Amino acid sequence: MGSYALPRPVNRRTARGLLLMLVAGVLGVVAALVAPPAAQAAESTLGAAAAQSGRYFGTAIAAGRLGDSTYTSIANREFNMVTAENEMKIDATEPQRGQFNFTNADRIYNWAVQNGKQVRGHTLAWYAQQPSWMQNLSGSSLRQAMIDHINGVMAHYKGKIAQWDVVNEAFADGNSGGRRDSNLQRTGNDWIEVAFRTARAADPAAKLCYNDYNIENWTWAKTQGVYNMVRDFKQRGVPIDCVGFQSHFNSGSPYNSNFRTTLQNFAALGVDVAITELDIQGASSSTYAAVTNDCLAVSRCLGITVWGVRDSDSWRASDTPLLFNNDGSKKPAYTAVLNALNGSSNPGNPGNPSGGGPLKGVASGRCVDVPGSSTTDGTQVQLWDCHGGTNQTWTSTDAGELRVFDNKCLDAAGTGNGAKVQIYTCWGGDNQKWRLNSDGTITGVQSGLCLDAVGAGTANGTLLQLYTCSSSGNQRWSRT
């Protein structure tokens, strides 16, 4: 599978074996950072909590489990978006050429809509899980079969599917940044473009997504390859609306804090982003919360889908990667996700409210201030009595910046403890990107260190720096 992830089975998630397979302490800070005093009460389910910010929280559903009352009870209660785990894939929907079968796909679709949920379509064009008749085609015959399949499936669900994964996993693992060698790729390099143009004509109302794994880490060649394709498509008017990040995080493909940067950079191309198949080896609460906050911090992140309900439903059951135990009980990771979702009632960026405003130190009660309203690059910022001036008005962007005076960014002059925090002309570097966390801290994306008042000072003129995060009062900030 290459150097980035654990090996993946060719027919993943299909075999029977795979199918079986601190709130009270920080609520004051969270409320100050991310929500006005009149924010709505916390929701008690994932879907409802996500809906507060205009997002969804979904799951993959298998038709064969719809008779399991524990499974359906959890799925119905917690999620407001559904993806068919295998039932809308090519082998399931067109087992013989030109003969479509939507029996199991419709079971899932009907269950979802009868329970008030939206549906993501997964997937129309993929090198894997092709029926044998398609595997035996090549060239123009295979290209036409792909077009016919897209038209046939999308016609059946026209106007009913919120998002379609039009093309799945078309890029190679490893360091090439290039396309995966597949029978579809060998029909010509334009096959992905043709798939998207076909899909747009088939159902103009559906969001059209490219979906892949191991594209979460911004530094990886595969991520850059997909980014370059999406940028090219947008420049040439190829109809792509969103990018899906599968987010199968494990020891071979671990979560990296630059995931938020990845989401922001794709969103800046003018596409929506979505976390489409989330599972995390060992179900780390902190990692689940971080991924959730990454989506919440990007206004164009549509929502999150976990790939299965309970661990026993996961294609990686032995990794215990989901939010519910085999018996249906909630894991600590569930609570971490719910708390993160409830930390934002802002439809854009939690902790990154749209519009400008002050950043007030929790310990000092003073604001992040540009001395003398200077616009000179390299001016170190300080604490000062809050007065609402433009030199204390910080505007968050989807790129993760904190802007002042329109074109100046909060900028880290280094990556080590004691590096000064200054203003500098915005240029898009990672040292100008910040993560506003639910505990009130603000961390540099490049350094991972926290915005810190030097010497835990609280007086006017105290300079700001980067320092190892400790969650102390001189490292926590509010938006009010």
Side-chain angles (χ1 to χ4, degrees):
M1 141 96 241
S3 60
Y4 296 151
L6 298 176
R8 296 158 61 89
V10 174
N11 250 12
R12 60 192 181 85
R13 300 188 293 269
T14 57
R16 176 67 175 171
L18 291 178
L19 287 175
L20 292 175
M21 313 243 280
L22 301 130
V23 181
V26 301
L27 270 182
V29 174
V30 172
L33 183 64
V34 304
Q40 58 259 53
E43 295 288 351
S44 60
T45 65
L46 300 172
Q52 294 179 103
S53 64
R55 294 169 174 81
Y56 62 79
F57 205 98
T59 190
I61 292 291
R65 289 192 171 85
L66 289 177
D68 180 333
S69 60
T70 301
Y71 178 88
T72 54
S73 175
I74 296 169
N76 189 28
R77 180 187 73 229
E78 295 291 342
F79 304 108
N80 56 358
M81 178 70 81
V82 162
T83 304
E85 189 169 350
N86 289 290
E87 290 80 353
M88 290 188 184
K89 292 175 181 173
I90 309 167
D91 55 354
T93 52
E94 195 178 0
Q96 301 296 325
R97 187 169 189 178
Q99 298 178 18
F100 290 89
N101 184 338
F102 298 105
T103 301
N104 285 325
D106 283 350
R107 283 187 66 199
I108 293 173
Y109 175 84
N110 291 335
W111 180 87
V113 297
Q114 287 164 8
N115 288 286
K117 306 177 194 310
Q118 290 187 297
V119 178
R120 294 191 77 254
H122 176 77
T123 180
L124 296 168
W126 188 24
Y127 76 91
Q129 286 183 240
Q130 296 177 1
S132 58
W133 65 265
M134 182 175 279
Q135 295 174 33
N136 292 328
L137 299 179
S138 61
S140 59
S141 180
L142 176 59
R143 174 67 64 86
Q144 189 60 50
M146 178 193 77
I147 293 170
D148 293 344
H149 179 78
I150 293 171
N151 283 327
V153 175
M154 293 191 77
H156 182 76
Y157 290 109
K158 187 173 183 178
K160 299 177 179 180
I161 297 289
Q163 307 165 32
W164 270 109
D165 289 334
V166 178
V167 173
N168 197 45
E169 300 177 1
F171 277 74
D173 298 316
N175 297 316
S176 73
R179 299 281 185 87
R180 178 189 298 275
D181 179 39
S182 69
N183 60 350
L184 291 169
Q185 179 64 28
R186 291 190 292 272
T187 69
N189 202 54
D190 65 338
W191 75 274
I192 300 177
E193 177 176 344
V194 169
F196 275 92
R197 293 192 184 278
T198 302
R200 172 66 87 231
D203 187 354
K207 283 186 182 291
L208 307 181
C209 306
Y210 176 79
N211 191 56
D212 216 327
Y213 66 97
N214 281 1
I215 60 169
E216 295 81 17
N217 188 318
W218 179 244
T219 67
W220 285 357
K222 186 174 181 181
T223 307
Q224 295 300 312
V226 175
Y227 177 85
N228 290 334
M229 178 191 73
V230 175
R231 180 174 59 186
D232 172 62
F233 280 9
K234 294 300 290 184
Q235 290 173 343
R236 294 193 295 109
V238 178
I240 183 170
D241 302 312
C242 52
V243 176
F245 299 82
Q246 292 185 15
S247 304
H248 297 296
F249 294 118
N250 54 65
S251 57
S253 178
Y255 169 80
N256 187 289
S257 62
N258 70 23
F259 184 32
R260 186 177 302 191
T261 299
T262 303
L263 296 176
Q264 290 165 336
N265 287 342
F266 274 87
L269 293 176
V271 293
D272 294 327
V273 293
I275 297 169
T276 56
E277 303 182 21
L278 178 63
D279 47 32
I280 299 172
Q281 185 175 23
S284 161
S285 294
S286 60
T287 305
Y288 260 110
V291 172
T292 303
N293 282 319
D294 288 340
C295 177
L296 290 169
V298 179
S299 61
R300 296 200 70 151
C301 186
L302 300 170
I304 298 170
T305 296
V306 288
W307 205 249
V309 177
R310 306 159 299 190
D311 285 339
S312 55
D313 308 313
S314 171
W315 67 299
R316 284 179 164 165
S318 62
D319 286 345
T320 60
L322 296 177
L323 299 175
F324 295 88
N325 293 305
N326 294 351
D327 63 1
S329 59
K330 299 171 183 176
K331 296 185 180 182
Y334 170 93
T335 302
V337 170
L338 185 64
N339 289 344
L341 292 170
N342 277 321
S344 172
S345 59
N346 183 279
N349 298 346
N352 288 5
S354 57
L359 286 170
K360 183 184 290 186
V362 170
S364 67
R366 292 188 165 90
C367 284
V368 178
D369 175 282
V370 182
S373 295
S374 171
T375 58
T376 303
D377 285 345
T379 301
Q380 188 168 6
V381 294
Q382 63 180 5
L383 294 179
W384 201 264
D385 292 332
C386 300
H387 53 68
T390 56
N391 65 322
Q392 294 184 351
T393 301
W394 301 91
T395 300
S396 302
T397 73
D398 277 350
E401 301 162 330
L402 285 165
R403 290 190 174 225
V404 66
F405 308 134
D406 293 328
N407 66 339
K408 299 293 180 178
C409 279
L410 193 67
D411 176 287
T415 57
N417 281 338
K420 79 172 182 177
V421 176
Q422 60 189 6
I423 61 165
Y424 208 88
T425 301
C426 300
W427 63 280
D430 282 350
N431 67 313
Q432 294 186 343
K433 295 175 182 176
W434 304 87
R435 182 193 299 272
L436 280 73
N437 304 305
S438 60
D439 64 354
T441 58
I442 299 176
T443 51
V445 167
Q446 183 182 62
S447 66
L449 302 178
C450 276
L451 182 66
D452 175 282
V454 172
T458 59
N460 281 336
T462 300
L463 297 175
L464 302 187
Q465 63 180 0
L466 292 179
Y467 212 83
T468 301
C469 298
S470 64
S471 294
S472 56
N474 69 311
Q475 292 186 349
R476 288 186 287 132
W477 310 88
S478 76
R479 272 296 206 178
T480 58

